[in-house]
Amino acid sequence: MISQFPEITSMPYADRLNVIHRLRLLRNTTGELSAHTGIQLRNNSFSKKTPFIARCIYSEFGREAQERIGVNLDELMRDYDTASRYFRTIAKTRRAQPEFYREVLRCLFDEEFALSDGAKPYRVSTQAISGLNIAVLTLLVLDILPSFQAKDGDVDLNMHLEYLARLREYFRVLYNNSRILQFAPYLTEHYQKAVQQIHNGELFTRLNLIAFTQGILANLENNYKPEILLQTNQYVNRQKIHPALEHDIWVERDACGGIPVYWQFETLGLDYILIRREFDQIIKRVVETRYEVFLFQNESEVSFILMCQSEIERLCMGNPISEQAYMYGACNFDNLQIPQSIEWLFTTNRYNDFPTAMIRLVESDGYNNLIESVVSEGWAFVCTTGSYEYLPVERVITTFYIYVEYESIEKETGEREIVAWYRIPRKGLLEEVDIITPIAHILHDQHTYICFIPMNQSFDVTDSKTRSAYGIEIVERIDVIIPTGEVITE
Protein backbone atom coordinates (compact mmCIF):
# COMPACT_ATOMS: atom_id res chain seq x y z
CA MET A 1 0.00 0.00 0.00
CA ILE A 2 1.51 3.32 -1.07
CA SER A 3 0.38 6.46 0.71
CA GLN A 4 -0.31 9.65 -1.19
CA PHE A 5 1.55 11.23 1.75
CA PRO A 6 5.31 10.87 2.28
CA GLU A 7 6.72 9.55 5.57
CA ILE A 8 5.54 11.96 8.24
CA THR A 9 9.01 12.89 9.48
CA SER A 10 10.06 13.82 5.93
CA MET A 11 7.07 16.11 5.40
CA PRO A 12 7.65 19.86 5.72
CA TYR A 13 6.40 21.17 9.05
CA ALA A 14 3.79 23.32 7.32
CA ASP A 15 2.31 20.24 5.65
CA ARG A 16 2.17 18.40 8.99
CA LEU A 17 0.37 21.37 10.52
CA ASN A 18 -2.12 21.40 7.67
CA VAL A 19 -2.87 17.70 8.32
CA ILE A 20 -3.42 18.38 12.03
CA HIS A 21 -5.78 21.21 11.14
CA ARG A 22 -7.65 19.21 8.50
CA LEU A 23 -8.17 16.21 10.82
CA ARG A 24 -9.21 18.47 13.73
CA LEU A 25 -6.87 16.53 16.03
CA LEU A 26 -5.98 19.27 18.52
CA ARG A 27 -8.97 21.59 18.18
CA ASN A 28 -12.51 20.88 17.02
CA THR A 29 -12.95 23.84 14.67
CA THR A 30 -10.91 26.09 12.43
CA GLY A 31 -11.98 29.01 14.61
CA GLU A 32 -10.62 27.38 17.75
CA LEU A 33 -7.27 26.58 16.14
CA SER A 34 -7.08 30.09 14.70
CA ALA A 35 -7.66 31.57 18.16
CA HIS A 36 -5.08 29.20 19.66
CA THR A 37 -2.33 30.02 17.13
CA GLY A 38 -3.18 33.63 16.41
CA ILE A 39 -3.32 32.79 12.70
CA GLN A 40 -6.41 33.26 10.56
CA LEU A 41 -6.63 29.74 9.13
CA ARG A 42 -8.36 28.42 6.05
CA ASN A 43 -7.47 25.38 3.98
CA ASN A 44 -3.64 25.11 3.82
CA SER A 45 -2.93 28.37 5.61
CA PHE A 46 0.14 27.02 7.41
CA SER A 47 1.89 26.69 4.06
CA LYS A 48 2.25 30.48 4.01
CA LYS A 49 4.39 30.47 7.16
CA THR A 50 8.17 30.43 7.10
CA PRO A 51 9.79 27.06 7.87
CA PHE A 52 11.03 28.41 11.21
CA ILE A 53 7.58 29.57 12.35
CA ALA A 54 5.99 26.31 11.17
CA ARG A 55 8.58 24.29 13.07
CA CYS A 56 7.98 26.31 16.26
CA ILE A 57 4.23 25.81 16.05
CA TYR A 58 4.61 22.08 15.35
CA SER A 59 6.98 21.72 18.31
CA GLU A 60 4.36 23.32 20.55
CA PHE A 61 1.66 21.02 19.16
CA GLY A 62 3.91 18.04 19.88
CA ARG A 63 4.38 19.20 23.47
CA GLU A 64 0.61 19.61 23.87
CA ALA A 65 -0.11 16.10 22.52
CA GLN A 66 2.46 14.64 24.91
CA GLU A 67 0.97 16.48 27.89
CA ARG A 68 -2.64 15.71 27.03
CA ILE A 69 -2.46 11.99 26.23
CA GLY A 70 1.21 11.01 26.50
CA VAL A 71 1.73 10.43 22.76
CA ASN A 72 4.45 11.36 20.29
CA LEU A 73 2.70 13.43 17.64
CA ASP A 74 4.88 12.22 14.75
CA GLU A 75 4.24 8.60 15.70
CA LEU A 76 0.52 9.17 16.06
CA MET A 77 0.25 10.77 12.63
CA ARG A 78 2.30 7.98 11.08
CA ASP A 79 0.07 5.37 12.77
CA TYR A 80 -3.05 7.22 11.65
CA ASP A 81 -1.82 7.27 8.05
CA THR A 82 -0.87 3.56 8.12
CA ALA A 83 -4.17 2.45 9.70
CA SER A 84 -6.10 4.59 7.26
CA ARG A 85 -4.34 3.05 4.25
CA TYR A 86 -5.12 -0.44 5.57
CA PHE A 87 -8.74 0.45 6.22
CA ARG A 88 -9.10 1.71 2.65
CA THR A 89 -8.23 -1.81 1.39
CA ILE A 90 -10.99 -3.45 3.47
CA ALA A 91 -13.59 -0.67 3.51
CA LYS A 92 -15.98 -2.44 1.11
CA THR A 93 -15.58 -5.93 2.61
CA ARG A 94 -17.09 -7.63 5.63
CA ARG A 95 -13.75 -7.18 7.39
CA ALA A 96 -14.74 -3.55 7.88
CA GLN A 97 -18.11 -4.40 9.42
CA PRO A 98 -18.12 -3.46 13.13
CA GLU A 99 -19.53 -6.82 14.30
CA PHE A 100 -16.94 -8.78 12.32
CA TYR A 101 -14.13 -6.50 13.47
CA ARG A 102 -15.20 -6.92 17.12
CA GLU A 103 -14.59 -10.66 16.79
CA VAL A 104 -11.18 -9.87 15.31
CA LEU A 105 -10.43 -7.86 18.47
CA ARG A 106 -11.60 -10.75 20.60
CA CYS A 107 -9.32 -13.07 18.63
CA LEU A 108 -6.49 -10.62 19.23
CA PHE A 109 -6.98 -10.54 23.02
CA ASP A 110 -8.46 -13.93 23.95
CA GLU A 111 -5.91 -16.68 23.38
CA GLU A 112 -8.42 -19.43 24.13
CA PHE A 113 -10.88 -18.07 21.58
CA ALA A 114 -8.09 -17.56 19.03
CA LEU A 115 -7.29 -21.29 19.16
CA SER A 116 -10.92 -22.39 18.86
CA ASP A 117 -12.78 -23.32 15.68
CA GLY A 118 -15.01 -20.29 16.17
CA ALA A 119 -12.04 -18.01 15.51
CA LYS A 120 -11.21 -19.42 12.05
CA PRO A 121 -13.00 -16.66 10.07
CA TYR A 122 -11.08 -13.96 11.96
CA ARG A 123 -7.51 -15.24 12.10
CA VAL A 124 -6.39 -13.77 8.78
CA SER A 125 -7.67 -10.34 9.80
CA THR A 126 -6.02 -10.66 13.20
CA GLN A 127 -2.68 -11.29 11.54
CA ALA A 128 -3.25 -8.47 9.05
CA ILE A 129 -3.70 -5.80 11.72
CA SER A 130 -0.59 -6.84 13.63
CA GLY A 131 1.61 -3.77 13.94
CA LEU A 132 -1.19 -1.29 13.30
CA ASN A 133 -2.48 1.21 15.84
CA ILE A 134 -5.58 -0.72 16.94
CA ALA A 135 -7.20 2.28 18.59
CA VAL A 136 -7.06 4.36 15.41
CA LEU A 137 -8.19 1.43 13.27
CA THR A 138 -11.14 0.77 15.61
CA LEU A 139 -12.25 4.39 15.32
CA LEU A 140 -12.00 4.17 11.53
CA VAL A 141 -14.09 0.99 11.47
CA LEU A 142 -16.76 2.63 13.62
CA ASP A 143 -16.76 5.72 11.36
CA ILE A 144 -15.73 7.91 14.30
CA LEU A 145 -12.44 9.10 12.80
CA PRO A 146 -12.23 10.27 9.18
CA SER A 147 -9.60 8.77 6.91
CA PHE A 148 -6.18 10.40 6.98
CA GLN A 149 -6.91 12.01 3.60
CA ALA A 150 -10.39 13.29 4.49
CA LYS A 151 -11.55 16.92 4.64
CA ASP A 152 -14.51 16.57 6.99
CA GLY A 153 -14.59 20.05 8.48
CA ASP A 154 -15.44 21.14 12.01
CA VAL A 155 -16.55 18.83 14.81
CA ASP A 156 -19.36 19.55 17.27
CA LEU A 157 -19.00 18.53 20.91
CA ASN A 158 -22.34 16.72 20.74
CA MET A 159 -20.75 14.47 18.15
CA HIS A 160 -18.08 13.52 20.68
CA LEU A 161 -20.77 12.64 23.22
CA GLU A 162 -22.47 10.44 20.64
CA TYR A 163 -19.15 8.78 19.75
CA LEU A 164 -18.34 8.05 23.39
CA ALA A 165 -21.74 6.40 23.89
CA ARG A 166 -21.21 4.34 20.74
CA LEU A 167 -17.77 3.21 21.91
CA ARG A 168 -19.12 2.27 25.34
CA GLU A 169 -21.79 0.02 23.86
CA TYR A 170 -19.42 -1.44 21.28
CA PHE A 171 -16.76 -2.45 23.81
CA ARG A 172 -19.22 -3.63 26.46
CA VAL A 173 -19.83 -6.85 24.48
CA LEU A 174 -16.13 -7.73 24.61
CA TYR A 175 -16.15 -7.60 28.41
CA ASN A 176 -18.83 -10.32 28.51
CA ASN A 177 -16.22 -13.02 27.88
CA SER A 178 -13.37 -11.66 29.99
CA ARG A 179 -11.91 -13.80 32.77
CA ILE A 180 -12.67 -11.98 36.02
CA LEU A 181 -15.22 -9.24 35.40
CA GLN A 182 -17.97 -9.95 32.89
CA PHE A 183 -18.87 -6.30 32.93
CA ALA A 184 -16.96 -3.08 32.43
CA PRO A 185 -16.22 -0.98 35.53
CA TYR A 186 -13.17 0.56 33.85
CA LEU A 187 -15.17 1.33 30.70
CA THR A 188 -18.00 2.86 32.73
CA GLU A 189 -15.64 4.97 34.83
CA HIS A 190 -13.68 6.32 31.88
CA TYR A 191 -16.83 6.98 29.88
CA GLN A 192 -18.21 9.01 32.78
CA LYS A 193 -14.95 10.94 33.14
CA ALA A 194 -14.85 11.77 29.41
CA VAL A 195 -18.47 12.92 29.39
CA GLN A 196 -17.86 15.03 32.51
CA GLN A 197 -14.81 16.55 30.83
CA ILE A 198 -17.01 17.71 27.93
CA HIS A 199 -19.80 18.97 30.20
CA ASN A 200 -17.24 20.93 32.25
CA GLY A 201 -16.13 22.74 29.12
CA GLU A 202 -12.66 21.16 29.12
CA LEU A 203 -10.78 20.63 25.88
CA PHE A 204 -11.90 17.39 24.20
CA THR A 205 -11.02 16.54 20.61
CA ARG A 206 -10.31 13.57 18.37
CA LEU A 207 -6.99 13.29 20.18
CA ASN A 208 -8.95 12.44 23.35
CA LEU A 209 -11.12 9.92 21.50
CA ILE A 210 -7.95 8.10 20.43
CA ALA A 211 -6.63 8.11 24.02
CA PHE A 212 -10.00 6.91 25.35
CA THR A 213 -10.01 4.00 22.90
CA GLN A 214 -6.38 3.11 23.67
CA GLY A 215 -7.19 2.94 27.38
CA ILE A 216 -10.18 0.64 26.87
CA LEU A 217 -8.24 -1.69 24.56
CA ALA A 218 -5.39 -1.91 27.08
CA ASN A 219 -7.86 -2.73 29.85
CA LEU A 220 -9.49 -5.42 27.73
CA GLU A 221 -6.08 -6.96 27.12
CA ASN A 222 -5.53 -6.97 30.90
CA ASN A 223 -8.82 -8.79 31.42
CA TYR A 224 -8.18 -11.43 28.77
CA LYS A 225 -4.49 -12.23 29.18
CA PRO A 226 -3.51 -13.92 32.49
CA GLU A 227 0.10 -12.73 32.34
CA ILE A 228 -0.86 -9.07 31.94
CA LEU A 229 -3.65 -9.38 34.52
CA LEU A 230 -1.07 -10.82 36.92
CA GLN A 231 1.20 -7.81 36.39
CA THR A 232 -1.71 -5.45 37.03
CA ASN A 233 -2.73 -7.28 40.21
CA GLN A 234 0.86 -7.32 41.46
CA TYR A 235 1.06 -3.57 40.90
CA VAL A 236 -2.17 -3.00 42.85
CA ASN A 237 -0.91 -5.20 45.70
CA ARG A 238 2.28 -3.13 45.92
CA GLN A 239 0.17 0.03 46.21
CA LYS A 240 -2.08 -1.22 49.02
CA ILE A 241 -2.40 0.90 52.14
CA HIS A 242 -3.70 0.00 55.57
CA PRO A 243 -4.98 2.92 57.67
CA ALA A 244 -5.93 2.20 61.28
CA LEU A 245 -9.65 1.50 60.80
CA GLU A 246 -10.03 -1.47 63.14
CA HIS A 247 -10.88 -1.76 66.86
CA ASP A 248 -13.54 0.95 66.92
CA ILE A 249 -17.16 1.15 65.79
CA TRP A 250 -18.33 3.27 62.85
CA VAL A 251 -21.73 4.73 62.00
CA GLU A 252 -23.23 6.30 58.90
CA ARG A 253 -22.69 10.05 58.98
CA ASP A 254 -26.20 11.01 57.89
CA ALA A 255 -28.08 8.31 59.81
CA CYS A 256 -31.24 9.58 61.49
CA GLY A 257 -33.40 7.32 63.69
CA GLY A 258 -34.78 3.97 62.60
CA ILE A 259 -33.14 0.60 63.22
CA PRO A 260 -29.62 1.05 64.68
CA VAL A 261 -26.85 0.15 62.21
CA TYR A 262 -23.18 -0.12 63.12
CA TRP A 263 -20.09 -0.88 61.05
CA GLN A 264 -16.84 -2.54 62.06
CA PHE A 265 -13.53 -3.17 60.22
CA GLU A 266 -11.53 -6.36 60.77
CA THR A 267 -8.06 -7.00 59.40
CA LEU A 268 -7.68 -9.50 56.55
CA GLY A 269 -3.98 -9.54 55.70
CA LEU A 270 -3.35 -6.20 54.01
CA ASP A 271 -7.08 -5.75 53.46
CA TYR A 272 -10.24 -5.55 55.54
CA ILE A 273 -13.50 -7.28 56.26
CA LEU A 274 -16.13 -4.55 56.69
CA ILE A 275 -19.12 -5.77 58.69
CA ARG A 276 -22.53 -4.10 58.72
CA ARG A 277 -24.73 -5.05 61.71
CA GLU A 278 -28.37 -4.08 61.87
CA PHE A 279 -30.03 -4.45 65.30
CA ASP A 280 -33.81 -4.93 65.14
CA GLN A 281 -34.87 -4.42 68.77
CA ILE A 282 -38.51 -5.25 68.09
CA ILE A 283 -38.05 -8.79 66.75
CA LYS A 284 -34.70 -9.18 68.56
CA ARG A 285 -32.60 -10.04 65.50
CA VAL A 286 -29.15 -9.07 64.25
CA VAL A 287 -28.69 -9.00 60.47
CA GLU A 288 -25.06 -9.02 59.40
CA THR A 289 -23.63 -8.29 55.94
CA ARG A 290 -19.93 -8.65 55.20
CA TYR A 291 -17.83 -6.94 52.56
CA GLU A 292 -14.20 -7.33 51.59
CA VAL A 293 -12.41 -4.00 51.13
CA PHE A 294 -9.12 -3.31 49.33
CA LEU A 295 -7.53 0.14 49.63
CA PHE A 296 -4.67 1.22 47.40
CA GLN A 297 -2.87 4.39 46.40
CA ASN A 298 -3.90 5.29 42.85
CA GLU A 299 -1.77 8.23 41.71
CA SER A 300 -2.90 11.20 43.83
CA GLU A 301 -5.95 9.55 45.41
CA VAL A 302 -6.82 6.51 47.49
CA SER A 303 -8.99 4.05 45.57
CA PHE A 304 -11.10 1.21 46.90
CA ILE A 305 -12.46 -2.06 45.58
CA LEU A 306 -15.33 -3.42 47.60
CA MET A 307 -17.20 -6.69 47.13
CA CYS A 308 -20.02 -8.39 48.92
CA GLN A 309 -18.39 -11.39 50.63
CA SER A 310 -20.87 -13.83 49.11
CA GLU A 311 -19.07 -13.22 45.79
CA ILE A 312 -15.90 -14.80 47.17
CA GLU A 313 -17.45 -18.19 46.49
CA ARG A 314 -17.61 -17.32 42.80
CA LEU A 315 -13.92 -16.45 42.79
CA CYS A 316 -13.07 -19.65 44.65
CA MET A 317 -14.89 -21.64 41.99
CA GLY A 318 -13.22 -19.73 39.14
CA ASN A 319 -16.38 -17.85 38.10
CA PRO A 320 -16.46 -14.13 37.19
CA ILE A 321 -17.75 -11.52 39.61
CA SER A 322 -21.22 -10.15 38.95
CA GLU A 323 -21.70 -6.47 38.27
CA GLN A 324 -24.13 -6.08 41.17
CA ALA A 325 -21.46 -7.19 43.66
CA TYR A 326 -18.52 -5.08 42.49
CA MET A 327 -17.93 -1.57 43.79
CA TYR A 328 -15.10 0.74 42.90
CA GLY A 329 -14.25 4.36 43.59
CA ALA A 330 -12.14 6.77 45.63
CA CYS A 331 -11.87 7.30 49.39
CA ASN A 332 -11.50 10.61 51.18
CA PHE A 333 -10.02 10.32 54.68
CA ASP A 334 -9.77 13.20 57.13
CA ASN A 335 -6.51 11.63 58.35
CA LEU A 336 -4.83 8.86 56.38
CA GLN A 337 -3.05 7.32 59.37
CA ILE A 338 -5.90 7.25 61.93
CA PRO A 339 -9.07 8.32 60.12
CA GLN A 340 -12.08 9.61 62.01
CA SER A 341 -14.26 9.92 58.91
CA ILE A 342 -14.45 8.30 55.47
CA GLU A 343 -16.18 9.42 52.31
CA TRP A 344 -16.88 6.72 49.70
CA LEU A 345 -17.01 8.24 46.21
CA PHE A 346 -18.42 5.53 43.94
CA THR A 347 -17.72 5.43 40.23
CA THR A 348 -19.65 2.15 39.82
CA ASN A 349 -22.87 0.88 41.33
CA ARG A 350 -23.53 1.15 45.07
CA TYR A 351 -25.70 -1.02 47.28
CA ASN A 352 -28.65 0.85 48.73
CA ASP A 353 -27.61 -0.05 52.28
CA PHE A 354 -23.99 1.04 51.81
CA PRO A 355 -23.29 4.59 53.03
CA THR A 356 -21.49 7.38 51.20
CA ALA A 357 -19.87 8.61 54.43
CA MET A 358 -18.96 7.05 57.81
CA ILE A 359 -17.61 8.45 61.07
CA ARG A 360 -15.79 6.72 63.90
CA LEU A 361 -17.71 6.60 67.19
CA VAL A 362 -16.00 8.37 70.05
CA GLU A 363 -18.36 6.80 72.59
CA SER A 364 -19.61 3.30 71.79
CA ASP A 365 -21.84 2.73 74.84
CA GLY A 366 -24.95 2.35 72.65
CA TYR A 367 -23.30 -0.40 70.62
CA ASN A 368 -21.95 -2.18 73.70
CA ASN A 369 -25.38 -2.12 75.34
CA LEU A 370 -26.93 -3.68 72.24
CA ILE A 371 -24.31 -6.44 72.23
CA GLU A 372 -25.08 -7.19 75.87
CA SER A 373 -28.78 -7.49 75.04
CA VAL A 374 -28.04 -9.75 72.08
CA VAL A 375 -26.05 -12.12 74.29
CA SER A 376 -28.24 -12.06 77.39
CA GLU A 377 -31.59 -12.27 75.55
CA GLY A 378 -30.49 -14.75 72.87
CA TRP A 379 -31.32 -12.67 69.82
CA ALA A 380 -31.56 -14.38 66.44
CA PHE A 381 -28.59 -13.94 64.11
CA VAL A 382 -28.64 -13.86 60.31
CA CYS A 383 -25.64 -13.37 58.03
CA THR A 384 -26.82 -12.49 54.54
CA THR A 385 -23.44 -13.17 52.92
CA GLY A 386 -22.74 -16.68 54.25
CA SER A 387 -19.98 -18.07 56.43
CA TYR A 388 -16.33 -17.73 55.38
CA GLU A 389 -13.50 -18.80 57.65
CA TYR A 390 -10.02 -17.66 56.71
CA LEU A 391 -7.49 -20.32 57.69
CA PRO A 392 -3.72 -19.87 58.25
CA VAL A 393 -1.60 -19.53 55.13
CA GLU A 394 1.94 -20.23 56.24
CA ARG A 395 3.87 -21.19 53.14
CA VAL A 396 7.22 -22.44 51.91
CA ILE A 397 8.29 -21.85 48.31
CA THR A 398 10.68 -24.21 46.55
CA THR A 399 11.73 -24.47 42.91
CA PHE A 400 9.05 -26.99 41.95
CA TYR A 401 6.37 -26.72 44.66
CA ILE A 402 4.43 -24.35 46.86
CA TYR A 403 3.73 -25.71 50.33
CA VAL A 404 0.74 -24.23 52.19
CA GLU A 405 -0.19 -25.12 55.75
CA TYR A 406 -2.71 -27.96 56.03
CA GLU A 407 -2.60 -29.00 59.69
CA SER A 408 -0.85 -27.81 62.82
CA ILE A 409 -0.72 -28.56 66.55
CA GLU A 410 -0.31 -26.13 69.38
CA LYS A 411 2.69 -26.72 71.60
CA GLU A 412 2.91 -26.07 75.34
CA THR A 413 4.88 -22.91 74.59
CA GLY A 414 1.88 -21.53 72.70
CA GLU A 415 3.60 -21.88 69.34
CA ARG A 416 2.12 -23.77 66.40
CA GLU A 417 3.94 -26.64 64.80
CA ILE A 418 2.89 -27.41 61.23
CA VAL A 419 2.64 -31.16 60.81
CA ALA A 420 1.19 -31.40 57.29
CA TRP A 421 1.25 -29.33 54.10
CA TYR A 422 -0.61 -28.97 50.83
CA ARG A 423 2.01 -29.53 48.13
CA ILE A 424 1.01 -27.58 45.02
CA PRO A 425 2.92 -27.86 41.73
CA ARG A 426 4.61 -24.56 40.92
CA LYS A 427 3.93 -24.19 37.22
CA GLY A 428 2.34 -21.70 34.84
CA LEU A 429 1.48 -18.44 36.58
CA LEU A 430 2.25 -20.07 39.93
CA GLU A 431 5.94 -19.82 39.04
CA GLU A 432 5.52 -16.13 39.96
CA VAL A 433 4.40 -16.94 43.53
CA ASP A 434 6.84 -15.78 46.18
CA ILE A 435 6.93 -15.45 49.95
CA ILE A 436 4.87 -12.23 49.96
CA THR A 437 2.26 -13.19 47.35
CA PRO A 438 -1.25 -12.75 48.84
CA ILE A 439 -2.78 -16.21 49.37
CA ALA A 440 -6.19 -17.00 50.85
CA HIS A 441 -7.06 -20.30 52.56
CA ILE A 442 -10.85 -20.33 52.86
CA LEU A 443 -13.36 -22.69 54.44
CA HIS A 444 -16.86 -22.16 53.07
CA ASP A 445 -19.92 -24.38 52.76
CA GLN A 446 -17.94 -27.51 53.73
CA HIS A 447 -15.38 -26.83 51.01
CA THR A 448 -11.79 -25.68 51.43
CA TYR A 449 -10.11 -23.45 48.85
CA ILE A 450 -6.61 -22.10 48.32
CA CYS A 451 -6.59 -18.91 46.28
CA PHE A 452 -3.54 -17.23 44.77
CA ILE A 453 -4.99 -13.76 44.52
CA PRO A 454 -2.76 -11.92 41.99
CA MET A 455 -2.84 -14.94 39.67
CA ASN A 456 -6.64 -15.26 39.87
CA GLN A 457 -6.20 -18.98 40.42
CA SER A 458 -8.18 -20.95 42.99
CA PHE A 459 -8.08 -24.64 43.90
CA ASP A 460 -10.67 -26.75 45.67
CA VAL A 461 -8.59 -28.83 48.10
CA THR A 462 -11.50 -30.29 50.07
CA ASP A 463 -10.73 -33.97 49.47
CA SER A 464 -8.40 -36.26 47.57
CA LYS A 465 -10.65 -36.22 44.48
CA THR A 466 -10.69 -32.43 44.12
CA ARG A 467 -6.99 -32.17 44.95
CA SER A 468 -5.94 -34.79 42.42
CA ALA A 469 -7.48 -32.72 39.60
CA TYR A 470 -4.71 -30.17 40.18
CA GLY A 471 -1.92 -32.56 41.17
CA ILE A 472 -2.10 -31.33 44.78
CA GLU A 473 -1.06 -33.70 47.58
CA ILE A 474 -0.93 -33.60 51.36
CA VAL A 475 2.56 -34.32 52.70
CA GLU A 476 4.16 -34.36 56.13
CA ARG A 477 7.57 -33.10 55.09
CA ILE A 478 9.07 -30.64 52.65
CA ASP A 479 11.49 -32.06 50.09
CA VAL A 480 13.91 -29.62 48.51
CA ILE A 481 15.37 -30.92 45.24
CA ILE A 482 18.79 -29.50 44.46
CA PRO A 483 20.45 -29.64 41.02
CA THR A 484 22.59 -32.71 41.83
CA GLY A 485 19.44 -34.73 42.38
CA GLU A 486 19.97 -35.17 46.11
CA VAL A 487 16.91 -34.87 48.34
CA ILE A 488 17.29 -32.83 51.51
CA THR A 489 14.50 -33.29 54.05
CA GLU A 490 13.74 -30.41 56.33
Side-chain angles (χ1 to χ4, degrees):
M1 295 176 289
I2 300 176
S3 173
Q4 70 184 68
F5 295 94
E7 178 67 27
I8 295 299
T9 54
S10 65
M11 290 174 64
Y13 285 104
D15 289 348
R16 298 187 222 180
L17 292 173
N18 289 330
V19 171
I20 291 169
H21 172 212
R22 180 167 46 73
L23 293 176
R24 304 300 190 266
L25 276 178
L26 299 183
R27 294 298 184 275
N28 291 311
T29 68
T30 295
E32 288 175 3
L33 194 61
S34 295
H36 179 56
T37 59
I39 301 170
Q40 190 61 40
L41 297 170
R42 56 176 66 89
N43 298 326
N44 294 328
S45 297
F46 284 110
S47 300
K48 301 176 182 179
K49 298 301 172 184
T50 66
F52 178 78
I53 295 297
R55 181 175 181 177
C56 290
I57 296 173
Y58 187 80
S59 176
E60 175 60 22
F61 283 0
R63 183 197 61 78
E64 178 182 330
Q66 186 68 44
E67 287 186 357
R68 282 173 59 184
I69 69 168
V71 71
N72 179 287
L73 188 54
D74 275 343
E75 292 179 1
L76 176 62
M77 291 174 66
R78 181 200 63 204
D79 291 350
Y80 197 150
D81 183 22
T82 305
S84 186
R85 284 186 282 126
Y86 169 76
F87 180 69
R88 199 161 64 242
T89 66
I90 67 168
K92 296 181 180 180
T93 72
R94 70 168 183 161
R95 293 163 72 178
Q97 294 173 358
E99 293 76 16
F100 183 93
Y101 178 76
R102 185 161 50 202
E103 293 304 298
V104 174
L105 290 178
R106 184 182 170 198
C107 194
L108 187 67
F109 295 138
D110 188 346
E111 295 174 355
E112 291 183 8
F113 174 68
L115 295 172
S116 70
D117 290 340
K120 286 182 179 178
Y122 315 108
R123 287 178 187 151
V124 172
S125 293
T126 303
Q127 294 170 358
I129 67 175
S130 175
L132 295 179
N133 185 313
I134 304 302
V136 172
L137 180 58
T138 301
L139 293 170
L140 288 167
V141 169
L142 294 178
D143 197 25
I144 290 175
L145 282 184
S147 71
F148 194 75
Q149 298 80 19
K151 299 179 180 180
D152 273 14
D154 291 345
V155 181
D156 184 83
L157 284 176
N158 288 324
M159 294 170 65
H160 288 322
L161 291 172
E162 178 187 332
Y163 294 151
L164 287 168
R166 192 189 306 175
L167 286 166
R168 179 189 57 181
E169 296 309 309
Y170 184 75
F171 284 125
R172 192 188 299 275
V173 177
L174 286 170
Y175 280 92
N176 292 341
N177 299 298
S178 60
R179 297 178 183 278
I180 302 302
L181 303 175
Q182 289 190 341
F183 58 100
Y186 181 91
L187 174 61
T188 300
E189 178 188 2
H190 280 259
Y191 168 78
Q192 291 173 345
K193 284 183 177 179
V195 169
Q196 192 63 47
Q197 188 176 341
I198 294 173
H199 287 326
N200 289 345
E202 300 174 35
L203 182 60
F204 193 98
T205 68
R206 284 172 173 158
L207 191 71
N208 299 89
L209 284 174
I210 293 170
F212 176 86
T213 307
Q214 286 174 330
I216 300 306
L217 291 170
N219 182 252
L220 276 166
E221 188 173 25
N222 287 349
N223 276 270
Y224 274 105
K225 295 190 175 180
E227 298 82 4
I228 298 178
L229 188 57
L230 168 60
Q231 294 171 9
T232 303
N233 290 340
Q234 287 174 328
Y235 172 79
V236 170
N237 281 318
R238 289 194 297 270
Q239 305 304 314
K240 283 184 177 179
I241 62 172
H242 198 93
L245 303 174
E246 313 93 320
H247 310 306
D248 291 320
I249 303 302
W250 297 73
V251 293
E252 299 167 23
R253 186 179 64 189
D254 300 321
C256 51
I259 297 176
V261 174
Y262 295 92
W263 296 79
Q264 186 173 17
F265 290 88
E266 293 183 356
T267 297
L268 179 62
L270 295 176
D271 306 312
Y272 305 90
I273 299 290
L274 179 53
I275 307 168
R276 179 186 189 273
R277 295 190 180 100
E278 180 181 289
F279 295 84
D280 193 323
Q281 295 168 285
I282 297 176
I283 62 174
K284 298 187 183 303
R285 183 181 69 178
V286 180
V287 177
E288 184 175 281
T289 304
R290 289 174 167 249
Y291 302 90
E292 296 203 6
V293 183
F294 316 93
L295 300 177
F296 58 97
Q297 192 71 42
N298 187 7
E299 297 180 352
S300 61
E301 65 182 16
V302 175
S303 293
F304 69 86
I305 297 174
L306 186 150
M307 287 186 295
C308 188
Q309 197 178 49
S310 56
E311 289 297 304
I312 300 304
E313 180 180 21
R314 297 177 63 85
L315 289 177
C316 289
M317 298 177 70
N319 296 323
I321 303 166
S322 66
E323 185 169 4
Q324 293 73 24
Y326 179 91
M327 304 182 193
Y328 175 83
C331 276
N332 283 343
F333 296 102
D334 63 332
N335 181 308
L336 189 56
Q337 301 303 316
I338 308 177
Q340 302 300 310
S341 66
I342 309 172
E343 283 187 292
W344 306 92
L345 308 174
F346 290 85
T347 56
T348 58
N349 63 296
R350 177 178 68 89
Y351 285 118
N352 291 333
D353 61 2
F354 200 94
T356 55
M358 301 164 65
I359 56 175
R360 192 191 298 257
L361 277 184
V362 178
E363 299 290 340
S364 56
D365 290 346
Y367 177 80
N368 294 332
N369 291 337
L370 280 172
I371 292 297
E372 289 180 7
S373 297
V374 169
V375 174
S376 63
E377 299 173 15
W379 287 27
F381 175 84
V382 176
C383 182
T384 62
T385 46
S387 173
Y388 293 81
E389 182 181 354
Y390 285 80
L391 306 173
V393 285
E394 295 296 334
R395 88 287 299 270
V396 173
I397 312 294
T398 69
T399 303
F400 301 109
Y401 295 101
I402 302 163
Y403 295 84
V404 176
E405 178 179 346
Y406 169 69
E407 184 180 3
S408 64
I409 58 175
E410 188 168 336
K411 304 175 73 172
E412 293 181 358
T413 58
E415 299 172 323
R416 276 190 310 113
E417 178 184 356
I418 301 174
V419 296
W421 303 82
Y422 295 105
R423 189 176 71 178
I424 304 168
R426 194 179 181 202
K427 57 186 180 181
L429 292 182
L430 295 189
E431 291 180 357
E432 301 295 326
V433 173
D434 58 31
I435 203 66
I436 62 171
T437 297
I439 301 175
H441 187 188
I442 301 172
L443 177 61
H444 168 68
D445 195 23
Q446 299 182 338
H447 281 261
T448 305
Y449 303 94
I450 295 177
C451 308
F452 296 90
I453 296 171
M455 293 75 190
N456 295 300
Q457 292 197 2
S458 300
F459 304 99
D460 186 339
V461 294
T462 306
D463 52 40
S464 58
K465 182 178 180 181
T466 59
R467 291 192 296 268
S468 65
Y470 311 110
I472 298 173
E473 300 177 278
I474 293 175
V475 298
E476 296 180 353
R477 67 180 191 179
I478 295 175
D479 292 334
V480 180
I481 309 297
I482 61 176
T484 60
E486 291 183 45
V487 178
I488 300 176
T489 302
E490 298 181 349

